[in-house]
Amino acid sequence: FRAEIGEGRFEVVRGDAERPEAIIETDAGTLGALIYEGGSLAEALGSGEIKIGGDMEAVEHFLTLFRLPEPAAPVIGKV
């Protein structure tokens, strides 16, 4: 996949980037753990679960772009 970020837009599409700032090589589970579960990028790098080429700051920024919304408050007394 290719992700383009800039000028107020964020687009993820299938395909190759012409001049990527960074390349991330990993599986979906590892990427999901880093994005949604607060996994450690340093630990994933150390274990070989992820490989990164290029700008580390760009990767760190990319991982912050997928935040889930806060869970809704439970409705009490309604069925």
Side-chain angles (χ1 to χ4, degrees):
F1 289 92
R2 176 186 77 228
E4 292 187 25
I5 305 161
E7 298 179 17
R9 69 185 206 344
F10 177 46
E11 180 181 63
V12 178
V13 296
R14 288 189 181 273
D16 295 326
E18 289 182 28
R19 289 175 282 139
E21 289 183 41
I23 297 173
I24 301 170
E25 292 182 50
T26 191
D27 60 80
T30 299
L31 187 59
L34 291 169
I35 291 172
Y36 298 120
E37 299 171 15
S40 166
L41 181 56
E43 287 179 17
L45 283 165
S47 70
E49 294 176 273
I50 190 170
K51 294 178 184 171
I52 295 173
D55 186 345
M56 183 62 78
E57 283 186 32
V59 172
E60 290 170 346
H61 177 67
F62 174 77
L63 295 175
T64 69
L65 299 175
F66 298 90
R67 297 291 173 225
L68 294 174
E70 291 295 319
V75 177
I76 299 174
K78 304 265 181 165
V79 178

